[in-house]
Amino acid sequence: KNASAYRTELQPKLPAIFEMLSKLYRQSTGRFSAEQIKSRVVAVLKAWRSWMLLSPKFLLGLEATFLGDYSKIEENEAEKARKEIESLDLDQLKAKCLQSGISCEGGSQEELMEKLIVINVIANRKEQEKIDEEKKNGAVLEEEAKRTITRNALNETLRNETVQQNKNINILVQEKLREIEGTRSKDTGNNNETDDDYDSHGDIDGEPLDSDIDGEPMDSDIDGEPLDENEL
C-alpha cells in the first residue's frame, strides 16, 4: 500500500527529474563523465522495467527525455498518432505527456505534440517487435517440438525394427538347432538298425550260421564220420 502511494506521488515528478538529469548528462565536465551518468540512469530504468513498477510506455518517455532522443519518424507512421491527439488543448496535451513520461518544461503545444507522437510511434514499434519476437520464439518452439516428435518416432521405429530382427534371428537359430537335432536322431536310428540286423539275422550274407562253409550241418568230424563221445 505505501509503495503504491509512493509511486503515485513520485511518478508525476519523474519527467521533470529526468529533464534535469538530461541537462546534467549533456553538460557534464566534472567528477562524473557523461557515460557514467548515462550508464547509471539506464541501469535504473532497466531495473524499473524488470520490477514492472511503471508502464513500458512511461519508461520509454523517461528514457527519451533523458537522452533527448526524439528521433524523426516516417510521416506515414506519425499520421495515425497525430490524428489521435490533434484535438487536445495545451493542458490536455501536457497531462498526456506526463502520463507518457515526457517533460513539458519550456515546450510549446506543437513541440509537445511532436514529442508525444514520436513516443507513441516508438512504443507501438516496440510492442510490435515484442509480438513478433514472441511469434518467432513460438515458431521456434513449435519447430523444435516437431523435430522432437519426428526424432522420437524414428527412434521408436528403429527399436521396433531391432526387436523384429532379433526375433527373426532367434527363429533362424531355433530352426537350425532343430535341423541339427533331427540329423543326429536320424544317424542314431540308422546305427541301431544295423546292429539289430546283424545280431538277429546271421552272418554277412544273411544266412544262419548253422552249417559249415560247404553248407552241410556240422554234426560229423572232418572225415565225415560221427564224433564218438568216448573218443574225446
Side-chain angles (χ1 to χ4, degrees):
K1 180 179 179 180
N2 293 335
S4 176
Y6 177 77
R7 182 180 60 198
T8 302
E9 292 295 323
L10 179 63
Q11 183 169 337
K13 299 179 176 62
L14 286 175
I17 293 172
F18 272 73
E19 180 70 26
M20 289 187 291
L21 290 171
S22 178
K23 291 178 180 179
L24 179 62
Y25 166 60
R26 290 193 296 269
Q27 299 171 1
S28 177
T29 57
R31 180 180 175 185
F32 289 101
S33 68
E35 286 303 314
Q36 286 177 317
I37 295 173
K38 179 181 177 180
S39 64
R40 296 189 181 191
V41 172
V42 171
V44 170
L45 290 172
K46 184 178 180 181
W48 285 352
R49 284 191 180 95
S50 65
W51 297 342
M52 294 182 291
L53 293 175
L54 302 164
S55 71
K57 187 175 181 179
F58 184 82
L59 292 172
L60 184 63
L62 291 180
E63 185 175 1
T65 296
F66 170 70
L67 297 175
D69 183 14
Y70 294 97
S71 303
K72 295 299 182 180
I73 58 176
E74 298 294 332
E75 186 60 31
N76 59 345
E77 291 182 295
E79 190 61 29
K80 182 179 179 181
R82 182 176 286 107
K83 288 180 179 179
E84 293 176 352
I85 63 174
E86 61 185 0
S87 61
L88 301 178
D89 60 29
L90 182 58
D91 290 336
Q92 291 173 326
L93 196 59
K94 286 183 177 181
K96 193 77 171 177
C97 286
L98 290 175
Q99 292 172 2
S100 300
I102 300 171
S103 173
C104 302
E105 184 178 342
S108 66
Q109 184 170 354
E110 185 62 27
E111 288 174 339
L112 295 179
M113 184 176 291
E114 290 302 317
K115 287 181 178 181
L116 190 58
I117 288 172
V118 170
I119 293 301
N120 287 341
V121 171
I122 294 175
N124 291 337
R125 283 180 186 173
K126 289 187 176 293
E127 183 63 27
Q128 188 59 47
E129 288 173 1
K130 182 180 178 181
I131 293 173
D132 293 342
E133 185 67 21
E134 289 176 350
K135 287 182 178 179
K136 181 180 178 181
N137 292 337
V140 170
L141 292 175
E142 183 179 356
E143 184 63 26
E144 181 61 29
K146 288 181 179 179
R147 285 198 295 266
T148 300
I149 293 173
T150 301
R151 189 162 51 245
N152 291 340
L154 180 59
N155 290 337
E156 183 65 22
T157 300
L158 291 175
R159 282 195 295 269
N160 292 337
E161 289 179 354
T162 301
V163 170
Q164 187 60 45
Q165 288 175 355
N166 290 337
K167 288 182 178 179
N168 293 338
I169 291 173
N170 289 334
I171 291 173
L172 291 175
V173 170
Q174 293 298 324
E175 290 178 350
K176 192 63 178 178
L177 289 174
R178 285 194 294 269
E179 180 181 343
I180 294 172
E181 186 63 29
T183 301
R184 288 178 179 176
S185 298
K186 184 177 180 180
D187 291 342
T188 302
N190 291 337
N191 291 336
N192 291 337
E193 182 179 355
T194 301
D195 294 341
D196 291 343
D197 289 344
Y198 181 80
D199 292 340
S200 60
H201 296 91
D203 62 1
I204 57 175
D205 60 359
E207 296 297 329
L209 295 175
D210 52 359
S211 302
D212 61 4
I213 57 175
D214 58 0
E216 296 298 326
M218 291 188 299
D219 53 358
S220 302
D221 61 5
I222 56 175
D223 57 1
E225 295 298 328
L227 294 175
D228 190 348
E229 293 180 359
N230 294 325
E231 294 179 355
L232 293 177

Coordinates of all heavy atoms in Angstrom, one line a residue, residues 182-218:
G182 N 17.5 -83.1 -35.5 CA 16.9 -84.1 -36.4 C 17.9 -85.0 -37.1 O 17.7 -86.2 -37.2
T183 N 19.0 -84.3 -37.6 CA 20.0 -85.1 -38.3 C 20.7 -86.1 -37.3 O 21.0 -87.2 -37.7 CB 21.1 -84.1 -38.9 OG1 20.4 -83.2 -39.8 CG2 22.1 -84.9 -39.6
R184 N 21.0 -85.6 -36.1 CA 21.6 -86.5 -35.1 C 20.7 -87.7 -34.8 O 21.1 -88.8 -34.7 CB 21.9 -85.7 -33.9 CG 23.1 -84.7 -34.0 CD 23.3 -84.0 -32.8 NE 24.4 -83.0 -32.9 CZ 24.8 -82.2 -31.9 NH1 24.1 -82.1 -30.8 NH2 25.8 -81.4 -32.1
S185 N 19.4 -87.4 -34.6 CA 18.5 -88.5 -34.3 C 18.4 -89.5 -35.4 O 18.3 -90.7 -35.2 CB 17.1 -87.9 -34.0 OG 17.1 -87.0 -32.9
K186 N 18.4 -89.1 -36.6 CA 18.3 -90.0 -37.8 C 19.6 -90.9 -37.9 O 19.5 -92.1 -38.1 CB 18.2 -89.2 -39.1 CG 18.0 -90.0 -40.3 CD 17.8 -89.1 -41.5 CE 17.6 -89.9 -42.8 NZ 17.4 -89.1 -44.0
D187 N 20.8 -90.3 -37.6 CA 22.0 -91.0 -37.7 C 22.0 -92.1 -36.6 O 22.4 -93.2 -36.8 CB 23.2 -90.1 -37.5 CG 23.4 -89.2 -38.7 OD1 22.8 -89.6 -39.8 OD2 24.1 -88.2 -38.6
T188 N 21.5 -91.7 -35.4 CA 21.5 -92.7 -34.3 C 20.6 -93.8 -34.6 O 20.8 -95.0 -34.3 CB 21.1 -91.9 -33.0 OG1 22.0 -90.9 -32.7 CG2 21.0 -92.9 -31.8
G189 N 19.4 -93.6 -35.2 CA 18.4 -94.6 -35.5 C 19.0 -95.6 -36.6 O 18.8 -96.8 -36.5
N190 N 19.7 -95.1 -37.5 CA 20.3 -95.9 -38.6 C 21.4 -96.9 -37.9 O 21.5 -98.0 -38.3 CB 21.0 -95.1 -39.7 CG 19.9 -94.4 -40.5 OD1 18.8 -94.8 -40.6 ND2 20.3 -93.3 -41.2
N191 N 22.2 -96.4 -37.0 CA 23.2 -97.2 -36.4 C 22.6 -98.3 -35.6 O 23.0 -99.4 -35.6 CB 24.1 -96.3 -35.5 CG 25.0 -95.4 -36.3 OD1 25.2 -95.6 -37.4 ND2 25.4 -94.3 -35.7
N192 N 21.5 -98.0 -34.9 CA 20.8 -99.0 -34.1 C 20.2 -100.1 -34.9 O 20.2 -101.3 -34.6 CB 19.7 -98.4 -33.2 CG 20.3 -97.5 -32.1 OD1 21.5 -97.7 -31.7 ND2 19.5 -96.5 -31.6
E193 N 19.6 -99.7 -36.1 CA 19.0 -100.7 -37.0 C 20.1 -101.7 -37.6 O 19.8 -102.8 -37.7 CB 18.3 -99.9 -38.1 CG 17.6 -100.9 -39.1 CD 16.9 -100.1 -40.2 OE1 16.8 -98.8 -40.1 OE2 16.3 -100.7 -41.1
T194 N 21.3 -101.2 -37.9 CA 22.3 -102.0 -38.5 C 22.8 -103.1 -37.5 O 23.0 -104.3 -37.8 CB 23.5 -101.2 -38.9 OG1 23.1 -100.2 -39.9 CG2 24.6 -102.0 -39.5
D195 N 23.0 -102.7 -36.2 CA 23.4 -103.6 -35.2 C 22.3 -104.7 -34.9 O 22.7 -105.9 -34.8 CB 23.6 -102.9 -33.9 CG 24.8 -101.9 -34.0 OD1 25.6 -102.1 -34.9 OD2 24.9 -101.0 -33.2
D196 N 21.0 -104.3 -34.9 CA 20.0 -105.2 -34.7 C 19.9 -106.2 -35.9 O 19.7 -107.4 -35.7 CB 18.6 -104.5 -34.6 CG 18.6 -103.7 -33.3 OD1 19.4 -104.0 -32.4 OD2 17.7 -102.8 -33.2
D197 N 20.1 -105.8 -37.1 CA 20.0 -106.7 -38.3 C 21.1 -107.7 -38.2 O 21.0 -108.9 -38.5 CB 20.1 -105.9 -39.6 CG 18.9 -105.1 -39.8 OD1 17.9 -105.4 -39.2 OD2 18.9 -104.1 -40.7
Y198 N 22.3 -107.3 -37.8 CA 23.4 -108.2 -37.7 C 23.2 -109.3 -36.6 O 23.5 -110.4 -36.8 CB 24.7 -107.4 -37.4 CG 26.0 -108.3 -37.3 CD1 26.6 -108.7 -38.5 CD2 26.5 -108.7 -36.1 CE1 27.7 -109.5 -38.4 CE2 27.6 -109.5 -36.0 CZ 28.2 -109.9 -37.2 OH 29.3 -110.7 -37.1
D199 N 22.7 -108.9 -35.5 CA 22.5 -109.8 -34.4 C 21.4 -110.8 -34.7 O 21.5 -112.0 -34.3 CB 22.2 -109.0 -33.1 CG 23.4 -108.2 -32.6 OD1 24.5 -108.6 -33.0 OD2 23.2 -107.3 -31.9
S200 N 20.3 -110.4 -35.3 CA 19.2 -111.2 -35.5 C 19.2 -112.1 -36.7 O 18.6 -113.2 -36.7 CB 17.9 -110.4 -35.5 OG 17.9 -109.5 -36.6
H201 N 19.9 -111.7 -37.7 CA 19.8 -112.5 -39.0 C 21.0 -113.4 -39.2 O 20.8 -114.5 -39.8 CB 19.7 -111.5 -40.2 CG 18.4 -110.7 -40.2 ND1 18.3 -109.5 -39.6 CD2 17.2 -111.1 -40.7 CE1 17.0 -109.1 -39.7 NE2 16.3 -110.0 -40.4
G202 N 22.2 -113.1 -38.8 CA 23.3 -114.1 -39.0 C 24.5 -113.4 -39.6 O 24.8 -112.3 -39.2
D203 N 25.2 -114.1 -40.4 CA 26.5 -113.6 -40.9 C 26.3 -112.5 -42.0 O 25.2 -112.1 -42.2 CB 27.3 -114.8 -41.5 CG 26.7 -115.4 -42.7 OD1 25.6 -114.9 -43.0 OD2 27.2 -116.4 -43.2
I204 N 27.4 -112.2 -42.7 CA 27.3 -111.1 -43.6 C 26.5 -111.3 -44.8 O 26.1 -110.4 -45.5 CB 28.8 -110.7 -44.0 CG1 29.5 -111.9 -44.6 CG2 29.6 -110.2 -42.8 CD1 30.9 -111.5 -45.1
D205 N 26.3 -112.7 -45.2 CA 25.4 -112.9 -46.4 C 24.0 -113.1 -46.0 O 23.2 -113.4 -46.9 CB 25.9 -114.2 -47.1 CG 25.9 -115.4 -46.3 OD1 25.5 -115.3 -45.1 OD2 26.2 -116.5 -46.8
G206 N 23.7 -112.9 -44.7 CA 22.3 -113.0 -44.3 C 21.8 -114.4 -44.0 O 20.6 -114.6 -43.6
E207 N 22.6 -115.5 -44.1 CA 22.2 -116.9 -43.8 C 22.6 -117.2 -42.4 O 23.6 -116.8 -41.9 CB 22.9 -117.9 -44.8 CG 22.5 -117.7 -46.2 CD 21.0 -117.9 -46.4 OE1 20.5 -118.8 -45.7 OE2 20.4 -117.3 -47.3
P208 N 21.8 -118.1 -41.8 CA 22.1 -118.5 -40.4 C 23.4 -119.3 -40.4 O 23.7 -120.0 -41.3 CB 20.9 -119.4 -40.0 CG 19.8 -119.1 -41.0 CD 20.5 -118.7 -42.2
L209 N 24.1 -119.1 -39.3 CA 25.4 -119.8 -39.1 C 25.2 -121.2 -38.4 O 25.6 -121.5 -37.3 CB 26.4 -119.0 -38.2 CG 26.8 -117.7 -38.9 CD1 27.7 -116.9 -37.9 CD2 27.6 -118.0 -40.2
D210 N 24.4 -122.1 -39.1 CA 24.2 -123.4 -38.5 C 24.8 -124.5 -39.4 O 24.6 -125.7 -39.3 CB 22.7 -123.7 -38.4 CG 21.9 -123.5 -39.7 OD1 22.6 -123.1 -40.7 OD2 20.7 -123.7 -39.7
S211 N 25.6 -124.1 -40.4 CA 26.3 -125.1 -41.3 C 27.7 -124.7 -41.4 O 28.1 -123.5 -41.1 CB 25.6 -125.2 -42.6 OG 24.3 -125.5 -42.5
D212 N 28.5 -125.5 -41.9 CA 29.9 -125.2 -42.1 C 30.1 -124.5 -43.4 O 29.1 -124.1 -44.1 CB 30.8 -126.4 -42.1 CG 30.4 -127.4 -43.2 OD1 29.5 -127.0 -44.0 OD2 31.0 -128.5 -43.2
I213 N 31.2 -124.3 -43.9 CA 31.5 -123.5 -45.1 C 30.9 -124.1 -46.4 O 30.7 -123.4 -47.3 CB 33.0 -123.1 -45.2 CG1 33.8 -124.4 -45.3 CG2 33.5 -122.3 -44.1 CD1 35.2 -124.2 -45.6
D214 N 30.7 -125.5 -46.4 CA 30.1 -126.1 -47.6 C 28.6 -126.2 -47.6 O 28.0 -126.8 -48.4 CB 30.8 -127.5 -47.9 CG 30.5 -128.4 -46.7 OD1 29.8 -127.9 -45.7 OD2 30.9 -129.5 -46.7
G215 N 28.0 -125.7 -46.5 CA 26.6 -125.7 -46.4 C 26.0 -126.8 -45.7 O 24.8 -126.9 -45.5
E216 N 26.8 -127.9 -45.3 CA 26.3 -129.1 -44.6 C 26.4 -128.8 -43.1 O 27.2 -128.1 -42.6 CB 27.2 -130.3 -45.0 CG 27.1 -130.7 -46.4 CD 25.7 -131.1 -46.8 OE1 25.0 -131.6 -46.0 OE2 25.3 -130.8 -48.0
P217 N 25.5 -129.6 -42.4 CA 25.5 -129.5 -40.9 C 26.8 -130.0 -40.3 O 27.4 -130.9 -40.8 CB 24.3 -130.4 -40.5 CG 23.5 -130.5 -41.7 CD 24.4 -130.4 -42.9
M218 N 27.2 -129.2 -39.3 CA 28.5 -129.6 -38.6 C 28.2 -130.6 -37.5 O 28.4 -130.3 -36.3 CB 29.2 -128.4 -38.1 CG 29.7 -127.5 -39.2 SD 30.8 -126.1 -38.6 CE 29.6 -125.3 -37.6

